[in-house]
């Protein structure tokens, strides 16, 4: 396995919490510079914390807010896809009719030869 980190676990946890507190408004590199590590190191710590949290809590224990956000996102995507499907229906019908026309024409030309 990899070598042991020279940073104590409490320091790593605090750095991860600082990054998460920024809510995506600050990059790994910016937060890492504030705590005196590299951006890649901080990204690794965040990934490890996510994996650890996933093992401890599983997907069933997501917060209600994150479930609601995901549900809202999926409903919006579903609505967008349904709207796109309705817009494409006339085009598909035209293509079906054209395919039938050319298939019929091809059959008539083959029989006539």
């Amino acid at each position: 396995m990899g070598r042991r980190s020279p940073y104590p676990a409490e320091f790593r946890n605090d750095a991860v919490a600082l990054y998460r507190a920024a809510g995506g408004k600050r990059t790994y590199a910016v937060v890492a510079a504030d705590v005196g590590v590299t951006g890649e190191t901080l990204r690794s710590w965040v990934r490890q914390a996510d994996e650890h949290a996933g093992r401890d809590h599983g997907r069933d224990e997501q917060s209600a807010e994150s479930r609601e956000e995901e549900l809202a996102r999926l409903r919006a995507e579903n609505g967008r896809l349904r709207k796109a499907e309705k817009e494409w229906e006339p085009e598909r019908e035209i293509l079906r009719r054209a395919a039938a026309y050319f298939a019929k024409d091809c059959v008539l030309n083959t029989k006539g030869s």
Side-chain angles (χ1 to χ4, degrees):
M1 217 164 181
R3 67 175 195 239
R4 188 168 173 89
S5 175
Y7 301 100
E10 185 176 338
F11 177 81
R12 293 191 306 265
N13 292 339
D14 289 346
V16 169
L18 184 61
Y19 172 76
R20 289 185 175 150
K25 295 178 182 170
R26 299 175 71 202
T27 64
Y28 286 110
V30 171
V31 175
D34 288 348
V35 297
V37 298
T38 67
E40 184 60 29
T41 298
L42 178 60
R43 188 179 71 76
S44 174
W45 292 347
V46 170
R47 188 178 343 112
Q48 288 171 358
D50 289 343
E51 290 172 2
H52 182 71
R55 283 192 303 266
D56 288 350
H57 302 293
R59 290 191 51 83
D60 293 337
E61 302 224 354
Q62 289 179 331
S63 69
E65 183 178 335
S66 66
R67 287 182 191 157
E68 290 299 319
E69 289 172 357
E70 182 178 14
L71 184 58
R73 181 185 60 79
L74 291 172
R75 284 182 174 157
E77 182 179 0
N78 193 19
R80 183 179 51 79
L81 292 172
R82 287 178 191 255
K83 182 180 175 186
E85 183 180 26
K86 287 179 183 176
E87 291 174 0
W88 295 334
E89 184 59 37
E91 183 177 337
R92 282 196 304 252
E93 184 59 31
I94 291 169
L95 291 172
R96 273 190 218 113
R97 289 179 183 181
Y101 173 79
F102 286 114
K104 180 180 173 183
D105 188 47
C106 183
V107 169
L108 290 177
N109 286 337
T110 306
K111 288 182 180 179
S113 294

